[in-house]
Amino acid sequence: MKLTEKIINIALLGTSNRKLERVDLPDFIQSQLPEPSENQDYEDYFFKVSSLTFGCENSGLLPQKIDSTFFMKPFEPDSSPYIDNNKISLLIYLVDSGLRLLLNYGFYYLRACRMLLPPFALPYFVARAFNFSDKYVYQYRLAVWSLIGNRGKWLVENADFPSEKWSNSSHSRRLKMFVALRKAGLNSSSKYLSDNWLTLSPKQKSDFLSVWGRVLDSDLDFLQNAFDTETSPKIKQLLLKLLLQNENSSIVKQDIQFLENIIKFDGKKSIDFSEIEFSEDLQQRGLSVVNTENNNLPTFFERLSDSEKLVFQLIHRMPFSFWQKFTGFDAKNTNQFLLENPSFKFGFNFLDVIKNFRDKNWAFEYCKYNSIIYQCFMPFLDADSLEILSEYCDFDFDFFFSEKLCGNFDNFQVWKDNFSLKILKFIINKRNFSNTILSAQFAAIKLSANMEHFIYVYICEHEDNDIVSTFFRRLHEYRKYLKQLTA
Amino acid sequence: MYSLLENISEQRLANIIAGADEIQARFKDLLRNGLLKFAQNIDSQTDLLKRRLIDCQAPGLASMVSALTKIDYTSDIWKDVFVSSLSQIYMTASALKNIQQLDTQWQNELLVLAGVSYPQHQVFECSPVTDVWLVLAVTTEPFNSMILKRTWLYGQNSKRFAVYVQYFMDKSRDDFEVQIGSSLHSSLYFYEGIHSMRVLFKSFYVTNSAFAPQAFSGIDFALKIYRKALTDNPFMQVIPLILCDVQLAKKDGKFYLADFNNSAFPLMLNDVQKLNLLTYTCGRSFSCFVLLNQFYFKILSVWADNLYYFLDYEINRKNN
């Protein structure tokens, strides 16, 4: 043991019961300090020994010798251009101000331009990608990852950030990671779940299924396998609900095949259904003749016969492509047929079906027919459709966009002029927001670039501090930021 | 040679000695019971002593005690740093009590350590060193209820290090704001002392002539300079140096500064410095301005990719 270690040990534990043995001291220290007498202040003597010893160690200080395993491999230099200083300053401002939607848009835009964060900005942005107090940390990390280049990735690898693997993370952390992966549309998300799905509790399974979002084709194998092996009725119902959102799932395909065998159409208006008997096969596909807490069927369901109950459920599982093939009509006439056919008058809710499949073509026809733009269709109706609908449709919503809705949009596609103007007039009339800061960011991204004059005039004519004026001022400010980011 | 001892009041000297007595008594008491308890409650344990030392007109001693709270108690060398620091403070207090027996040079060193300042007029009587000075780094830290700011400088021709020390109540009173990496032309007046670096100046102007300072290669050489400086003045707390052809090395989460002969020495880095250092050097060799002590190197700035970076800036935009 080194002498300093002995000194340290005694010092930390105390000299009341421990003393340094004189034989432990080197000769030159012994020669400098006479042996302490009984009356001598031992602590004073100890500090002198300690100072001398550390001093001696200092005067012979040598470097350590290391081997090649200590050295870090240099990174591969980047070749992409760097984002300029003004944009970096703005991105930092957006981070510090919590303007998350604008920041996401900024990252998306710069990613599309194939630009990278310059070296001086990397520590700032990379450090925030490991800030676990931020509930959106994983979404942020995914968004910023493609902007950090090889230098940034080298930094993450060597900076000893907290190690996070799916396998050793808590459930709440895994849930956050999962949400971020789903939003980014990454195929790996269901793979992470499939590795330990069987070990999860029903509550944990329910948590993951509740945040699934869009069901991609790559999710179907996992979901089908989980559905086939699940024993909890509640979880099975959640899995079924997800599988029914994708018309390529085997359940939907089987339902289509089944319905094709029992449904008859005379080519004009009349539809007939053959009698169906409830079978185990239908039961295994999640169909029921009993209203339970898990299947959420309407109350009038009980008055129907078993066959009618089964037909009711099958109709609500059919995608638009089935009806178009079945009727042979174009999209407009297929929609009209469904909404006007007597067989589907009572209790059928095609709005929910359209929402389920996120079918933009069907949504467009449905809105046009009813002269209403439904808020629940907004996330997947494209800008061209909305522009056409804005000519003669009203909105069915009372307030401008919740956080859930803002986070559910498929892309950053900008709305066109007529629709943008309609939205602004709606905002002025309704004067109702769920969150002006979030709504203003969202509107700033989505509104047509030609709305500047309208926004500016409104601000000039309304200098008061009511909620709409505040919204418009924020909107104007945020659009300036976006212009700076995309310049 | 100017004698601080002859020029301070008897009352002040008596107060400083009383402060030294206080340190000795307190530390001996803590040693008897074990310093571990002291370390576990370091903030509360040092607070009263610091205030007492300020009352004794020994702010330098108070600063040394305050430095105990800045030790990284999560590092694996905290015990060495802690016990060594305590021993050094104790010996400084002991030396102060024997000050009358020492020669003028050591009397001055000790009184400066205790916090006695040379009068400004005295400093300005020394011959100045006129040079172009590179601003290497600027550090700030809280000191009692003030801000203590150090601006580190390096002379192009004199090859000397200098440090300009300021104390102010708030940042708005800072009348010396210079950009790190810039060069100033000035005549600096060095305080007396062994390897003294502290300076005053009367005026300066910013030049456009940025220059690369002389740098030394090799960790062995760096430690040789350290050992020599310590031999001359064992009270020196840090030794500044500029090193070139060094690399970052890492093992088991600990960082080292290494050279091409595989000699290495531990680095002390906070999170911001670590990220900056990794970002700018990326596994390649670089030059740096470091402060050495017996336990670790502390890198304040690096030269990499022909640019100069100060490691404590979260964003180094201004220096690009």
Side-chain angles (χ1 to χ4, degrees):
Chain A
M1 188 189 269
K2 274 182 10 175
L3 179 57
T4 49
E5 281 178 32
K6 287 186 184 171
I7 287 171
I8 289 167
N9 286 344
I10 294 172
L12 291 179
L13 295 171
T15 54
S16 48
N17 293 324
R18 294 163 199 84
K19 302 277 185 270
L20 201 59
E21 296 298 326
R22 194 153 169 86
V23 295
D24 289 333
L25 302 176
D27 291 338
F28 61 87
I29 288 186
Q30 291 193 42
S31 66
Q32 296 290 321
L33 288 171
E35 179 125 28
S37 62
E38 273 196 35
N39 298 332
Q40 190 169 348
D41 184 342
Y42 183 79
E43 281 69 38
D44 181 74
Y45 166 79
F46 184 91
F47 270 121
K48 283 174 179 157
V49 168
S50 175
S51 292
L52 267 176
T53 309
F54 278 107
C56 288
E57 202 177 63
N58 249 344
S59 61
L61 198 63
L62 293 170
Q64 298 174 22
K65 281 295 178 191
I66 59 175
D67 59 41
S68 59
T69 59
F70 280 68
F71 291 98
M72 291 175 276
K73 218 171 131 190
F75 81 116
E76 283 290 322
D78 295 301
S79 55
S80 299
Y82 290 132
I83 301 165
D84 69 58
N85 283 7
N86 290 333
K87 290 192 171 86
I88 293 292
S89 298
L90 180 54
L91 287 173
I92 291 166
Y93 172 75
L94 296 179
V95 171
D96 289 345
S97 309
L99 295 173
R100 191 170 53 84
L101 293 191
L102 295 185
L103 182 68
N104 284 346
Y105 182 81
F107 285 155
Y108 154 80
Y109 177 81
L110 294 165
R111 191 164 58 240
C113 296
R114 297 187 191 283
M115 302 192 87
L116 297 178
L117 292 165
F120 68 80
L122 276 175
Y124 176 89
F125 287 98
V126 168
R128 272 148 189 80
F130 292 87
N131 173 15
F132 297 111
S133 61
D134 178 1
K135 72 174 181 172
Y136 300 108
V137 62
Y138 296 107
Q139 274 123 307
Y140 172 90
R141 197 187 295 176
L142 282 170
V144 88
W145 189 253
S146 42
L147 296 175
I148 63 175
N150 293 333
R151 187 189 286 257
K153 285 165 192 158
W154 185 95
L155 173 63
V156 170
E157 198 185 306
N158 289 285
D160 294 335
F161 285 111
S163 156
E164 277 183 301
K165 289 191 173 147
W166 181 271
S167 53
N168 64 12
S169 292
S170 65
H171 173 65
S172 62
R173 203 170 268 192
R174 283 189 197 172
L175 202 56
K176 283 184 189 170
M177 289 188 214
F178 187 73
V179 167
L181 290 168
R182 295 301 311 176
K183 282 209 182 320
L186 293 173
N187 292 342
S188 51
S189 57
S190 48
K191 188 205 171 296
Y192 284 115
L193 269 191
S194 66
D195 287 345
N196 54 12
W197 180 252
L198 295 174
T199 63
L200 298 178
S201 69
K203 168 76 173 64
Q204 289 171 333
K205 287 179 181 175
S206 169
D207 288 343
F208 280 114
L209 296 175
S210 305
V211 299
W212 198 275
R214 282 192 79 176
V215 177
L216 308 171
D217 287 353
S218 54
D219 297 328
L220 293 176
D221 283 345
F222 164 74
L223 290 172
Q224 187 65 56
N225 191 47
F227 177 78
D228 290 340
T229 54
E230 184 58 48
T231 52
S232 157
K234 187 181 167 197
I235 303 302
K236 214 168 166 81
Q237 189 64 26
L238 287 173
L239 287 161
L240 176 68
K241 200 171 155 189
L242 290 175
L243 284 165
L244 293 176
Q245 287 177 21
N246 187 315
E247 61 182 271
N248 294 323
S249 72
S250 62
I251 286 186
V252 174
K253 284 181 181 170
Q254 284 170 45
D255 288 341
I256 290 173
Q257 204 173 21
F258 187 87
L259 198 62
E260 276 172 349
N261 288 335
I262 64 151
I263 192 171
K264 288 175 189 56
F265 178 48
D266 70 355
K268 288 178 192 167
K269 274 193 181 177
S270 174
I271 299 180
D272 267 321
F273 298 97
S274 309
E275 277 289 306
I276 316 171
E277 270 189 31
F278 187 50
S279 65
E280 199 180 315
D281 178 53
L282 293 176
Q283 188 183 32
Q284 276 175 5
R285 293 213 305 278
L287 292 156
S288 174
V289 292
V290 175
N291 203 350
T292 68
E293 62 173 4
N294 285 328
N295 59 24
N296 281 331
L297 292 164
T299 46
F300 66 81
F301 191 74
E302 291 305 315
R303 298 199 291 272
L304 303 174
S305 67
D306 282 359
S307 180
E308 285 169 337
K309 285 172 185 172
L310 292 167
V311 165
F312 180 88
Q313 290 166 82
L314 283 167
I315 297 295
H316 281 90
R317 290 180 174 198
M318 291 299 110
F320 200 48
S321 55
F322 166 80
W323 295 113
Q324 284 185 285
K325 185 181 164 196
F326 175 69
T327 59
F329 298 156
D330 64 14
K332 179 184 169 189
N333 289 315
T334 303
N335 177 66
Q336 189 174 354
F337 169 82
L338 289 172
L339 294 180
E340 291 177 358
N341 195 289
S343 305
F344 304 128
K345 269 296 177 195
F346 178 64
F348 283 87
N349 187 350
F350 288 110
L351 186 137
D352 278 347
V353 181
I354 298 168
K355 213 170 74 173
N356 181 56
F357 284 114
R358 295 173 70 98
D359 189 323
K360 63 179 181 181
N361 294 330
W362 195 357
F364 174 73
E365 297 301 338
Y366 192 89
C367 290
K368 213 164 93 174
Y369 181 89
N370 290 305
S371 300
I372 295 175
I373 299 175
Y374 295 90
Q375 186 176 194
C376 56
F377 292 167
M378 289 292 295
F380 50 90
L381 277 170
D382 61 29
D384 288 331
S385 305
L386 288 168
E387 188 69 355
I388 297 168
L389 291 172
S390 66
E391 292 291 321
Y392 38 75
C393 289
D394 291 323
F395 296 129
D396 82 330
F397 36 103
D398 284 332
F399 63 89
F400 188 63
F401 294 168
S402 63
E403 174 162 355
K404 190 175 169 193
L405 194 60
C406 291
N408 247 339
F409 275 73
D410 276 355
N411 55 48
F412 289 115
Q413 191 188 39
V414 173
W415 295 324
K416 298 199 167 174
D417 290 355
N418 285 338
F419 183 76
S420 296
L421 195 59
K422 197 173 180 86
I423 282 281
L424 285 173
K425 286 179 178 172
F426 162 82
I427 287 167
I428 292 166
N429 288 333
K430 282 287 181 181
R431 314 182 76 75
N432 193 359
F433 306 91
S434 71
N435 177 328
T436 51
I437 293 177
L438 192 73
S439 307
Q441 290 178 71
F442 181 75
I445 293 167
K446 297 295 275 182
L447 289 171
S448 156
N450 297 326
M451 294 298 106
E452 286 314 309
H453 182 72
F454 183 92
I455 295 167
Y456 182 71
V457 165
Y458 187 89
I459 292 170
C460 292
E461 289 176 358
H462 297 83
E463 288 186 1
D464 41 346
N465 282 326
D466 70 357
I467 194 165
V468 177
S469 303
T470 306
F471 171 85
F472 269 81
R473 280 197 292 276
R474 282 200 173 120
L475 176 62
H476 183 61
E477 181 191 342
Y478 297 162
R479 283 171 75 83
K480 268 196 332 200
Y481 297 155
L482 289 178
K483 214 167 162 181
Q484 246 184 288
L485 275 174
T486 56
Chain B
M1 177 180 280
Y2 182 82
S3 168
L4 278 173
L5 189 65
E6 285 173 14
N7 286 282
I8 63 168
S9 66
E10 280 183 22
Q11 185 58 56
R12 180 148 188 207
L13 181 65
N15 287 342
I16 289 172
I17 303 295
D21 271 331
E22 186 91 22
I23 284 176
Q24 285 192 311
R26 187 88 180 96
F27 280 17
K28 283 193 286 192
D29 196 38
L30 289 166
L31 179 63
R32 237 172 263 122
N33 295 317
L35 297 176
L36 190 62
K37 284 178 203 159
F38 182 35
Q40 287 168 344
N41 298 294
I42 195 70
D43 287 319
S44 53
Q45 293 272 5
T46 53
D47 196 45
L48 192 59
L49 181 57
K50 276 188 296 188
R51 282 188 271 139
R52 180 79 184 102
L53 291 168
I54 301 279
D55 289 343
C56 290
Q57 295 180 283
L61 292 179
S63 177
M64 290 174 85
V65 168
S66 183
L68 295 172
T69 63
K70 294 180 185 114
I71 293 171
D72 179 6
Y73 288 94
T74 61
S75 77
D76 54 357
I77 57 165
W78 75 265
K79 294 173 196 168
D80 303 67
V81 178
F82 181 60
V83 174
S84 166
S85 302
L86 274 166
S87 304
Q88 179 140 35
I89 298 170
Y90 186 92
M91 289 317 295
T92 305
S94 298
L96 277 166
K97 286 174 70 173
N98 285 325
I99 197 166
Q100 305 282 4
Q101 272 78 56
L102 303 173
D103 65 29
T104 309
Q105 193 176 50
W106 289 110
Q107 286 174 351
N108 290 344
E109 285 294 327
L110 281 168
L111 287 172
V112 165
L113 269 179
V116 177
S117 295
Y118 280 92
Q120 276 205 2
H121 68 83
Q122 183 61 35
V123 178
F124 284 127
E125 277 177 23
C126 303
S127 301
V129 177
T130 303
D131 204 343
V132 173
W133 301 90
L134 178 67
V135 180
L136 289 169
V138 175
T139 59
T140 56
E141 60 189 83
F143 178 76
N144 297 329
S145 50
M146 294 191 288
I147 300 170
L148 163 59
K149 178 181 168 188
R150 294 187 181 92
T151 305
W152 291 89
L153 304 164
Y154 179 84
Q156 184 176 25
N157 299 312
S158 59
K159 313 257 185 281
R160 280 184 79 163
F161 287 98
V163 59
Y164 179 59
V165 178
Q166 295 165 273
Y167 296 88
F168 35 79
M169 295 302 289
D170 66 73
K171 224 176 165 311
S172 62
R173 295 188 179 273
D174 183 0
D175 57 2
F176 181 64
E177 288 214 58
V178 288
Q179 193 171 328
I180 296 171
S182 64
S183 308
L184 320 168
H185 187 280
S186 182
S187 298
L188 299 185
Y189 296 82
F190 280 79
Y191 281 64
E192 283 184 40
I194 307 166
H195 295 308
S196 170
M197 291 180 288
R198 191 172 169 189
V199 295
L200 291 176
F201 59 87
K202 292 181 182 174
S203 65
F204 71 92
Y205 62 86
V206 178
T207 76
N208 287 326
S209 54
F211 64 91
Q214 181 187 47
F216 297 102
S217 180
I219 304 297
D220 293 274
F221 185 80
L223 291 178
K224 188 175 164 188
I225 294 180
Y226 174 80
R227 293 193 299 269
K228 167 80 173 53
L230 262 272
T231 307
D232 295 339
N233 185 353
F235 292 109
M236 285 193 82
Q237 285 160 5
V238 287
I239 313 294
L241 207 54
I242 295 175
L243 297 174
C244 62
D245 298 329
V246 288
Q247 264 185 287
L248 262 194
K250 189 179 97 159
K251 189 114 179 180
D252 300 329
K254 286 184 239 176
F255 285 86
Y256 300 83
L257 196 63
D259 60 25
F260 290 106
N261 294 321
N262 290 5
S263 293
F265 206 73
L267 276 174
M268 183 175 91
L269 296 167
N270 62 31
D271 288 341
V272 170
Q273 291 165 340
K274 183 175 76 175
L275 279 186
N276 282 333
L277 189 59
L278 284 167
T279 303
Y280 304 137
T281 60
C282 277
R284 299 170 300 185
S285 66
F286 58 93
S287 302
C288 57
F289 167 54
V290 299
L291 299 178
L292 293 74
N293 75 23
Q294 72 180 110
F295 297 110
Y296 45 74
F297 287 1
K298 185 173 174 182
I299 301 181
L300 293 190
S301 320
V302 299
W303 286 264
D305 297 329
N306 297 320
L307 291 170
Y308 187 64
Y309 299 100
F310 177 55
L311 288 195
D312 261 330
Y313 274 160
E314 205 174 356
I315 298 285
N316 263 285
R317 276 169 292 167
K318 289 180 190 168
N319 291 332
N320 280 311

